[in-house]
Amino acid sequence: MTDDSVGDVEEALSGSATRKMSLYRMYPSETLRELVALKIVEDPEDRFAIREVEVGALPAILVSGESEAAPVEWAAAVTSLTGIDLGFTATTASAALFIRVDKVNYALAFGHGWRYLRDGRVDRQFGLDVAVRLLDPDEIRRVTRWALSAKARVDQNMVPGGQGLWAFGLREHAELVRNLTGKVQGDVSIDLAYIRRRGRYRNFRLSLECGDGLHAPLGIEGESLVSDLRALTKVVDQMKVHDRLEPLQWVRRLAPGHDLRDVLDSTAVDLLAEPDPDRGEVGIAYPARYYDGPGVQRYRGNIGDVVIDTDELTIDDLQAGVRHHAREEYLRVLRVSNIEGLDDTGRSLGGDVPALHWMAAEIIDPKYRFVLLDGDWYELGEKYLDHVERVVSEAFRNSPSWTLPSWQAAPRNDKGKVVEGAYNRYVAEQDTRFLCLDRKLVRTRIHPRGFEACDLLGPDNVLVHVKKVSSDTGSSVLSHLFAQGLVAAESLTDRKTWNDFVDLVREQDGVRADGLGSRPAGLVYAIHRSDKVLQPSTLFTFARSALVSASVALTTYGIPLQIYVIP
């Protein structure tokens, strides 16, 4: 049943003039017309109607239109089965209603009407602003979250009965929550038309879906809708944020059209051209699609006219690719250039990705902290930064009792360098407590390309993930290490996947395999920094955030996390 039909049924049952609708809060504007998507306003074929209307006693703008006729989606299956082309086509009718209530701009979207909203004017914080004030933390039914360090980790969890926010592994809220669905707190009073009519029913609890906007039953009579919008404005302006939900506001993603994006983009370009630690830092970070799977062994592509073909992508490669262009062209060049990562057999691990998505940036301002990841900007609040500092410091203090040999003690390659594979093999040769599993992949239905369970299986059967960093690579490469370890630990909590891992270990050491138990005993990130001592203060904020995300999830699974700094 569609949302629209659900709204019809609810209205029929209750006799109330309400309907479930999608509501967005828009940024301030001089006129309501400024909130309409430019492609609609400037459409050369005049396919959309823009009307000035009244809702209650307030002026509003109604935008409506239909998509071009297209074949019905299921008709191709009928043709394939029967040989008969039904010739059916369909159009999608949509509308958006823009209204200003007490200086606050709102838009109601019907059908695909959200496409009629000017993207840069949508306040995407609105749904979460409502959620953290109204929803009951113990009645959250669905959570959609993005790990700050890797947009590839988009998790949508649903528990139909509602088992509370903590059932979703969000104890520390180290991830960017994009959508919450749940019930309103029982002791909260909100003056909505739907509640006035349904609230008298026993055990009634209003359910809300809160994302970029708000999906909720609202009045469909003019004065009723205006009253509902005033009530929602009052919720955001006057209601206290729930203590247990307040951390969800610690990180905010800037909308694509946000006024600050141009300034931040310009600053990132300046830092790429002329590094300035007082203003921030740029470095290399794995794009989203590369977080799930083995590490990149070769990078190929181009930045402008410069060919990229290297086993270690550095910020110098990005600088070399853009320096032949004018400063104002840097961003465009990075966006239109592409780089792909390959495994040791030359197979692509994630396909071509814009060069900009291989760059991360951190902008430091006296009042704000912003990070660029996968082409998106995020604002980090002070409470989030304090939280990250605490978790990261604790992880560094919690070091294992065993030791690893010096990095430089391992055999060197023909270029005189110690690479990770050689170091891992050396450790296993020198200390029988460690089993080298570097580049030995566990393949599953969810991870058909395979994932590395660990580089070394250590004492007490902990998973050890090894990485070398330096000022050339930047600490941002650790984001991949932290995410890779998390993917491994999460995957190995599945019984079948764990059994596949045990079989992988048995191929090398049957006795070790017999003593593995039923799940990972712990996870250790073993890191060597070649140019200076590694410590929490030398990590990029987004690398620190990746470590926090791993810590949160591992705590949920009951898997201890430790950091070991390789000398």
Side-chain angles (χ1 to χ4, degrees):
M1 184 178 292
T2 66
D3 290 334
D4 286 344
S5 60
V6 169
D8 290 337
V9 171
E10 287 181 345
E11 183 179 341
L13 291 174
S14 65
S16 60
T18 63
R19 174 184 194 83
K20 277 192 175 179
M21 295 185 281
S22 295
L23 176 69
Y24 298 85
R25 184 173 62 193
M26 310 294 288
Y27 288 127
S29 64
E30 292 293 327
T31 66
L32 291 176
R33 196 178 183 89
E34 294 174 14
L35 306 177
V36 182
L38 288 176
K39 67 180 179 181
I40 305 299
V41 175
E42 300 173 356
D43 180 43
E45 300 178 12
D46 292 328
R47 292 173 299 168
F48 306 95
I50 303 178
R51 304 178 178 90
E52 294 185 357
V53 297
E54 282 193 356
V55 175
L58 298 179
I61 287 181
L62 176 64
V63 181
S64 59
E66 286 186 286
S67 64
E68 295 183 0
V72 175
E73 183 272 332
W74 48 261
V78 173
T79 302
S80 177
L81 292 168
T82 67
I84 297 175
D85 182 359
L86 297 174
F88 289 167
T89 62
T91 61
T92 300
S94 303
L97 179 64
F98 300 85
I99 183 172
R100 180 178 297 145
V101 179
D102 302 333
K103 300 182 180 180
V104 180
N105 292 331
Y106 287 103
L108 285 161
F110 304 88
H112 289 177
W114 52 271
R115 297 180 183 272
Y116 299 171
L117 280 54
R118 190 171 302 188
D119 193 60
R121 295 301 182 93
V122 179
D123 183 352
R124 301 188 183 280
Q125 197 64 27
F126 174 55
L128 189 58
D129 282 343
V130 172
V132 296
R133 290 166 171 83
L134 290 184
L135 293 188
D136 183 340
D138 293 320
E139 291 290 345
I140 303 294
R141 294 202 312 272
R142 185 173 63 204
V143 174
T144 302
R145 54 186 176 165
W146 288 2
L148 176 61
S149 56
K151 273 169 45 179
R153 279 183 44 74
V154 180
D155 301 324
Q156 179 168 287
N157 305 94
M158 181 179 291
V159 181
Q163 293 186 5
L165 189 62
W166 318 128
F168 301 101
L170 292 176
R171 264 191 204 107
E172 301 286 351
H173 308 286
E175 291 151 304
L176 185 66
V177 174
R178 302 299 303 276
N179 184 292
L180 286 173
T181 298
K183 294 182 179 180
V184 171
Q185 302 166 48
D187 58 351
V188 166
S189 176
I190 175 173
D191 188 22
L192 294 177
Y194 186 77
I195 293 179
R196 289 196 297 271
R197 288 165 171 76
R198 296 296 302 271
R200 66 180 181 272
Y201 289 96
R202 185 178 180 182
N203 298 324
F204 168 78
R205 295 280 294 279
L206 176 65
S207 293
L208 298 176
E209 181 180 338
C210 308
D212 286 347
L214 179 68
H215 194 63
L218 299 170
I220 60 171
E221 297 172 351
E223 293 298 334
S224 176
L225 174 64
V226 171
S227 175
D228 282 354
L229 297 183
R230 285 196 171 110
L232 290 170
T233 299
K234 186 177 180 180
V235 165
V236 174
D237 290 346
Q238 299 181 18
M239 282 191 65
K240 182 180 180 295
V241 174
H242 195 292
D243 290 341
R244 290 165 62 193
L245 298 182
E246 187 262 342
L248 300 182
Q249 296 185 306
W250 289 354
V251 178
R252 293 174 180 254
R253 174 177 173 266
L254 298 189
H258 195 285
D259 293 342
L260 280 176
R261 288 184 68 101
D262 288 342
V263 176
L264 295 172
D265 286 342
S266 177
T267 304
V269 166
D270 290 343
L271 290 172
L272 180 61
E274 299 175 17
D276 181 357
D278 292 333
R279 298 181 66 196
E281 191 175 6
V282 294
I284 300 298
Y286 271 48
R289 68 178 71 172
Y290 281 87
Y291 272 79
D292 181 10
V296 174
Q297 303 301 318
R298 195 80 185 171
Y299 303 84
R300 287 182 184 160
N302 72 286
I303 302 177
D305 297 328
V306 174
V307 175
I308 300 297
D309 189 357
T310 178
D311 59 1
E312 187 174 65
L313 187 68
T314 71
I315 202 66
D316 290 339
D317 294 311
L318 300 189
Q319 291 169 334
V322 299
R323 68 165 50 104
H324 301 297
H325 300 265
R327 181 78 63 87
E328 58 270 18
E329 287 287 295
Y330 281 14
L331 205 63
R332 182 192 64 79
V333 172
L334 292 173
R335 282 173 173 155
V336 301
S337 302
N338 290 287
I339 299 173
E340 68 174 335
L342 312 174
D343 64 14
D344 52 6
T345 67
R347 181 172 60 110
S348 178
L349 294 170
D352 284 336
V353 176
L356 179 62
H357 288 213
W358 290 94
M359 185 180 91
E362 178 179 359
I363 308 300
I364 300 172
D365 181 272
K367 296 182 179 179
Y368 306 100
R369 185 72 61 89
F370 296 93
V371 295
L372 172 70
L373 283 171
D374 245 338
D376 270 326
W377 283 101
Y378 300 86
E379 180 183 351
L380 311 182
E382 281 301 318
K383 291 184 177 180
Y384 179 77
L385 294 172
D386 291 343
H387 162 70
V388 168
E389 176 67 29
R390 177 177 59 80
V391 175
V392 171
S393 296
E394 181 179 338
F396 270 78
R397 286 194 302 269
N398 189 22
S399 185
S401 59
W402 43 258
T403 61
L404 290 173
S406 165
W407 189 272
Q408 298 303 326
R412 301 174 183 273
N413 62 13
D414 54 5
K415 296 181 181 179
K417 295 182 178 180
V418 177
V419 298
E420 290 170 17
Y423 179 79
N424 292 329
R425 290 190 294 273
Y426 176 74
V427 171
E429 291 167 0
Q430 297 298 310
D431 190 336
T432 57
R433 296 178 300 169
F434 293 90
L435 183 67
C436 182
L437 296 176
D438 184 25
R439 302 190 190 179
K440 297 186 182 299
L441 306 180
V442 179
R443 289 182 170 84
T444 68
R445 180 179 59 82
I446 298 176
H447 304 290
R449 293 181 302 176
F451 68 91
E452 275 189 338
C454 60
D455 293 306
L456 297 166
L457 183 61
D460 300 320
N461 293 326
V462 296
L463 309 177
V464 183
H465 288 260
V466 178
K467 181 66 68 176
K468 178 180 80 74
V469 297
S470 69
S471 57
D472 289 334
T473 62
S475 62
S476 55
V477 296
L478 294 179
S479 294
H480 178 256
L481 175 72
F482 299 147
Q484 189 179 45
L486 176 56
V487 167
E490 286 184 324
S491 299
L492 293 174
T493 59
D494 173 71
R495 170 59 65 180
K496 183 180 184 307
T497 305
W498 176 257
N499 290 339
D500 291 340
F501 172 65
V502 172
D503 291 341
L504 182 67
V505 173
R506 193 178 305 281
E507 293 174 5
Q508 293 186 238
D509 190 331
V511 174
R512 193 71 179 268
D514 290 339
L516 278 178
S518 60
R519 64 197 318 251
L523 188 147
V524 178
Y525 292 119
I527 307 163
H528 171 71
R529 180 156 186 167
S530 59
D531 57 340
K532 62 176 68 174
V533 177
L534 180 71
Q535 53 191 8
S537 61
T538 62
L539 296 179
F540 266 174
T541 295
F542 40 80
R544 292 152 62 87
S545 296
L547 179 57
V548 171
S549 292
S551 174
V552 170
L554 292 170
T555 298
T556 303
Y557 293 121
I559 300 174
L561 170 66
Q562 297 175 306
I563 300 288
Y564 181 82
V565 179
I566 301 172

